[in-house]
Amino acid sequence: MHYKISATHLSKNDNVFFKSMLQLIQIQLNDTWSYEETADIVLADIETPLGVAFWEESTQQQDKLVIAYARQNTCNAEWFLPKPIRVQALIKQLNAIATFKSTVQGAVQTSQTSENSPSSISTTKANLLGNIPNNTAQQVKPSDIPTNKPVSIEYFEPEHSLLGLIQSTIKKCETKCFTCEQGETIYISPQQKRCFTSKINFNHLTQKQRRLYASVAAQVTMTNLSEDALHQMAKAQGLENYAVETLLWLVTLCASQGRLMAGVAENSYVRLKQWPNFAVLPCQPVHLRIAAFMLKNATTLTTVSEKTRVDFSTLVDFFNACKVADLIVETTDQNVSTEAKPKSSAEQYLFKNILKRLSSHE
Amino acid sequence: MSEIKLVFTGSVGAGKTTAIEIISEIPVIRTDVRATDSETAKRKEKTTVAMDYGELTLEDGQKLRLYGTPGQQRFDYMWRILVKGALGLIILVDNAGSDPIGDLARYVDNFRDFVSNNQMVVGVTRMDIASEPDMDFYHQYFAERGIALPIFPVDARSKTSVVMLIQSLIAMLEFS
Amino acid sequence: MLSGEAIAKLESRLAQLLHDCDTIEAAVVSTLDGHMCTMRQQAQQYSLERLATMGSTLMSLGDTITAELNMGLCDNIISENQNGIVAFMHINNDLVLVTLTTQKNALGMLLSHSRRCAKEMAELL
Ligand SMILES: Nc1nc2c(ncn2[C@@H]2O[C@H](COP(=O)(O)OP(=O)(O)OP(=O)(O)O)[C@@H](O)[C@H]2O)c(=O)[nH]1
Ligand SMILES: [Mg+2]
């Protein structure tokens, strides 16, 4: 089935981001989705007055299916996509809409659906049995044609993202420039263990920064350059420089989108090897909470999420960043020593108050 | 909970007084006097002999009290007095001192009883003056002894650093 | 730090103090940052090293308190206890004299002898 979707009242950045994201996730969607200027399925930013008006009108008239796009679902919209756009949430939402549409319009579409399914089933079977003819296997080998490799919905695979490119540049000790369409530009000097780019506000990344950090390898343009050229460039553009660790950390936080790092079993017991050096690894208060718990306890991420009351996808992003920074230890035994005993509410109130006072200090 | 207090302790000249001064909202009550022994005097002019005291007022009017201990071992009776009833402990270690890892060991051991029910964090200061030992040595020291405490480089002259120390301590307290 | 000569002068004045007033059981001169300069006691019954550092702690707390209250310089701190009295006082900006007695009603004597001693020590240096 082919669905058309448009977007309205999104900021320019969000709009560009949404379009490229839509292309990016094609392979993970159960159906084909394309962006059109006008369509019956519309993503509307309801944090703008016009967006809300549009949403209200369409909901009343029931002529369009509108996905409310905002940080919070304040309108109690049936179809809702949280801000900022994340791969997983978008896939989930679009697939859900497709399922909804197909049940409503099911009868009409049966013939088309059945046309598609046999081929996909046969591929899966062939894969499972491991009996794909050699030539076919070569065609889909991801390392040969990275563009064809789907962005995994389930796992975060550094080798298919900017992160992997930076890591291999560091390994090979090559000075390189990385950028992507409408994204930030960064220069990496493995020799100096620094990266050069425009100022980063750790509490608030720009759209340009997010776009680059979260991009898949295929979207990234890399250029080799000499150390001298890098220096001239940095000077001419007044670039700031940061530790490479800082960048790897930020890129991972941005790119993992709630997907666990490939190769990590979800139910393995993990703990922090040591306290992350938050002087160079930018963190949010929620990261401190997780770190405090994971420093003392070895357990599954699900348990960590429960005990710290941090949502799983935020936890996973942080975990991946720690993993990249080599701060994670996998253990065979579970060891939950600090029973996160329920603190008295007075104590919790006090901690919150202290943290509040401190944040006004910064 | 009677008094809400945090205690800064750690080696001579690590920056306990400096740290309290940078975040306290009242002029710090300090008991620094001229250092007479050459060992201390060559590092800095003055040293704490009783305590430092600073304050932060919380939203509801409660005071968070910040105490600093003297760094020199001779004053260890003050450590015990000051640490009584504290919510948590911040240990500062001077990386440019003569035996920073030894200092870490001494302070952590000394306050071990305290840490069983309360919590502590460690900040390593003056890494810009002496880059050795690097953080790996500290981490290794902890790892070998199975000590799981936050430890990271800080600059006692920087508000952000000191705030980060307290934030980390509070995070640890939430799960203690 | 003080010269050997200066310490010798302090030592002999301290000996005189304990000779003149045998109610004073022990006396210590320490630097304001808590290093022992010299000590003397009638019988070898106290470990006075700790008293030297504690003397500096208390004296500077005293100075901090009087400064807070705009009361000028802290002359002395008296600790009256179940089994005796301890007095702490400045000799000068850098030195502290600590004296003690186990006689509970000897406060006057303790203070007057100690004060005179402190004053003369300041002049000696
Ligand atoms: N260069 C540098 N100087 C620092 C750093 N942290 C603290 N300092 C300086 O180190 C000195 C520390 O002095 P204090 O704050 O008096 O140290 P303290 O721990 O209170 O010492 P005691 O009371 O004698 O035990 C001050 O001069 C600070 O400015 C740092 O990270 N780098
Ligand atoms: Mg001090």
Side-chain angles (χ1 to χ4, degrees):
Chain A
M1 185 63 198
H2 183 170
Y3 294 103
K4 293 174 183 165
I5 185 167
S6 71
T8 188
H9 303 300
L10 262 61
S11 71
K12 204 171 149 223
N13 280 335
D14 271 357
N15 200 292
V16 174
F17 192 53
F18 172 64
K19 283 187 209 166
S20 50
M21 188 84 107
L22 191 63
Q23 283 181 349
L24 211 74
I25 60 170
Q26 276 310 319
I27 310 162
Q28 275 68 57
L29 295 172
N30 301 337
D31 301 84
T32 313
W33 287 77
S34 64
Y35 184 87
E36 306 288 337
E37 282 313 313
T38 53
D40 286 344
I41 303 172
V42 188
L43 181 70
D45 187 333
I46 59 160
E47 284 183 359
T48 66
L50 287 176
V52 180
F54 176 86
W55 177 82
E56 279 170 349
E57 194 184 306
S58 312
T59 320
Q60 257 168 25
Q61 299 191 354
Q62 298 197 329
D63 57 340
K64 287 186 170 69
L65 187 156
V66 182
I67 308 169
Y69 174 55
R71 269 167 295 211
Q72 303 271 317
N73 189 357
T74 45
C75 300
N76 258 330
E78 182 182 2
W79 304 105
F80 174 73
L81 183 69
K83 242 185 208 185
I85 301 175
R86 290 194 152 221
V87 171
Q88 270 192 310
L90 184 61
I91 292 169
K92 220 166 113 188
Q93 191 60 239
L94 295 186
N95 282 341
I97 290 173
T99 313
F100 167 76
K101 286 263 177 193
S102 68
T103 43
V104 174
Q105 302 158 0
V108 194
Q109 307 298 343
T110 357
S111 64
Q112 263 182 315
T113 324
S114 54
E115 229 172 65
N116 279 342
S117 14
S119 71
S120 64
I121 288 170
S122 68
T123 322
T124 320
K125 265 193 185 153
N127 268 328
L128 284 174
L129 300 171
N131 59 0
I132 314 170
N134 255 344
N135 54 349
T136 330
Q138 260 162 11
Q139 261 177 19
V140 294
K141 227 169 84 186
S143 54
D144 284 348
I145 322 156
T147 24
N148 280 3
K149 167 75 187 177
V151 179
S152 165
I153 340 170
E154 278 186 87
Y155 293 105
F156 172 54
E157 300 164 308
E159 66 272 29
H160 297 300
S161 74
L162 172 72
L163 177 65
L165 298 178
I166 299 177
Q167 283 174 323
S168 87
T169 299
I170 294 170
K171 212 172 186 177
K172 293 186 205 145
C173 205
E174 295 165 338
T175 308
K176 273 203 171 123
C177 164
F178 298 81
T179 189
C180 74
E181 203 179 322
Q182 309 224 39
E184 184 61 275
T185 303
I186 48 176
Y187 301 88
I188 308 243
S189 162
Q191 210 179 312
Q192 300 177 54
K193 299 196 173 118
R194 309 293 291 177
C195 76
F196 297 75
T197 185
S198 37
K199 192 169 173 54
I200 305 175
N201 174 352
F202 297 126
N203 291 323
H204 189 78
L205 296 180
T206 64
Q207 281 286 346
K208 265 176 96 175
Q209 286 163 341
R210 284 182 184 282
R211 203 167 292 135
L212 175 66
Y213 299 169
S215 56
V216 291
Q219 296 173 305
V220 177
T221 316
M222 288 188 286
T223 331
N224 285 315
L225 75 169
S226 68
E227 280 285 309
D228 281 349
L230 165 64
H231 275 286
Q232 278 168 14
M233 197 83 83
K235 209 166 165 192
Q237 299 180 32
L239 300 181
E240 303 278 333
N241 72 87
Y242 299 90
V244 166
E245 294 81 28
T246 307
L247 184 73
L248 291 175
W249 178 266
L250 279 176
V251 166
T252 315
L253 282 180
C254 243
S256 54
Q257 313 252 0
R259 296 165 305 162
L260 191 56
M261 180 90 77
V264 180
E266 201 163 324
N267 53 2
S268 58
Y269 302 135
V270 289
R271 67 171 168 85
L272 272 183
K273 184 155 88 182
Q274 64 204 36
W275 191 256
N277 180 3
F278 291 123
V280 285
L281 309 175
C283 71
Q284 306 292 327
V286 68
H287 296 148
L288 292 176
R289 280 178 65 82
I290 307 173
F293 185 79
M294 290 187 68
L295 189 64
K296 296 257 171 191
N297 305 286
T299 182
T300 62
L301 288 176
T302 318
T303 311
V304 176
S305 170
E306 276 167 23
K307 299 271 185 191
T308 55
R309 296 183 303 279
V310 172
D311 79 82
F312 196 71
S313 91
T314 308
L315 169 64
V316 163
D317 292 350
F318 175 78
F319 171 84
N320 289 346
C322 289
K323 181 91 183 149
V324 169
D326 191 24
L327 292 171
I328 297 294
V329 182
E330 285 190 47
T331 60
T332 44
D333 296 316
Q334 177 156 234
N335 177 10
V336 184
S337 57
T338 38
E339 190 42 45
K341 62 169 183 253
K343 294 275 167 193
S344 69
S345 55
E347 217 164 351
Q348 260 163 11
Y349 170 77
L350 173 66
F351 294 158
K352 213 184 261 168
N353 249 339
I354 296 177
L355 293 177
K356 210 187 238 170
R357 178 67 184 82
L358 290 172
S359 65
S360 69
H361 237 302
E362 283 163 324
Chain B
M1 256 173 294
S2 43
E3 188 186 45
I4 311 158
K5 75 176 184 187
L6 301 180
V7 175
F8 287 73
T9 189
S11 52
V12 182
K16 303 174 288 293
T17 305
T18 309
I20 293 177
E21 240 157 16
I22 198 90
I23 59 160
S24 171
E25 61 193 18
I26 60 161
V28 170
I29 295 175
R30 43 192 292 176
T31 57
D32 280 23
V33 303
R34 200 165 63 85
T36 59
D37 59 308
S38 52
E39 178 65 18
T40 311
K42 74 170 182 244
R43 290 162 81 169
K44 60 200 188 90
E45 199 193 336
K46 294 191 152 193
T47 187
T48 306
V49 295
M51 59 177 210
D52 307 304
Y53 175 78
E55 270 178 14
L56 283 176
T57 309
L58 306 181
E59 207 178 47
D60 57 0
Q62 288 196 90
K63 302 268 188 235
L64 177 64
R65 297 163 204 279
L66 310 166
Y67 287 88
T69 72
Q72 304 181 56
Q73 179 99 37
R74 300 180 287 127
F75 296 100
D76 57 3
Y77 52 90
M78 283 309 292
W79 301 355
R80 262 168 273 132
I81 294 172
L82 293 173
V83 88
K84 217 174 279 171
L87 199 59
L89 195 67
I90 293 159
I91 295 179
L92 297 180
V93 174
D94 177 6
N95 204 52
S98 53
D99 178 20
I101 301 283
D103 287 340
L104 173 74
R106 269 186 292 283
Y107 283 93
V108 170
D109 278 353
N110 215 294
F111 290 98
R112 219 41 194 302
D113 292 342
F114 177 76
V115 91
S116 58
N117 34 26
N118 292 282
Q119 290 291 343
M120 50 189 181
V121 301
V122 185
V124 181
T125 65
R126 293 155 64 95
M127 294 208 75
D128 53 322
I129 294 179
S131 58
E132 298 287 324
D134 74 15
M135 285 312 294
D136 288 345
F137 285 90
Y138 290 94
H139 290 307
Q140 197 187 333
Y141 177 86
F142 273 3
E144 280 165 5
R145 286 157 189 79
I147 299 172
L149 290 177
I151 180 166
F152 51 98
V154 298
D155 184 332
R157 300 164 302 174
S158 133
K159 220 175 233 188
T160 329
S161 266
V162 180
V163 164
M164 177 65 80
L165 279 168
I166 305 181
Q167 284 174 331
S168 308
L169 181 62
I170 299 293
M172 293 303 285
L173 287 173
E174 289 198 51
F175 299 106
S176 68
Chain C
M1 259 329 230
L2 292 174
S3 66
E5 192 194 350
I7 290 179
K9 282 183 188 166
L10 293 175
E11 254 166 14
S12 75
R13 184 60 188 85
L14 212 56
Q16 196 195 325
L17 172 69
L18 266 70
H19 179 260
D20 292 351
C21 177
D22 59 6
T23 342
I24 298 180
E25 253 99 0
V28 170
V29 175
S30 84
T31 62
L32 196 52
D33 65 334
H35 288 286
M36 167 77 74
C37 293
T38 174
M39 59 183 173
R40 192 97 187 174
Q41 48 186 325
Q42 305 285 10
Q44 302 305 311
Q45 55 177 330
Y46 300 110
S47 134
L48 296 175
E49 294 288 343
R50 303 277 287 169
L51 191 62
T53 42
M54 289 175 178
S56 78
T57 298
L58 257 187
M59 208 61 234
S60 66
L61 265 183
D63 291 340
T64 309
I65 291 167
T66 50
E68 180 78 16
L69 301 172
N70 290 320
M71 287 188 177
L73 289 175
C74 175
D75 284 338
N76 45 244
I77 295 172
I78 300 154
S79 153
E80 291 195 69
N81 319 297
Q82 226 167 16
N83 299 318
I85 308 169
V86 192
F88 305 82
M89 61 195 64
H90 274 293
I91 293 169
N92 57 23
N93 279 339
D94 295 325
L95 296 177
V96 179
L97 173 68
V98 184
T99 50
L100 63 93
T101 174
T102 49
Q103 310 217 351
K104 286 193 64 180
N105 46 10
L107 178 62
M109 206 186 301
L110 178 76
L111 278 183
S112 66
H113 279 96
S114 302
R115 272 207 195 124
R116 191 176 329 130
C117 175
K119 192 162 161 271
E120 287 178 22
M121 280 179 164
E123 285 159 5
L124 281 174
L125 296 171

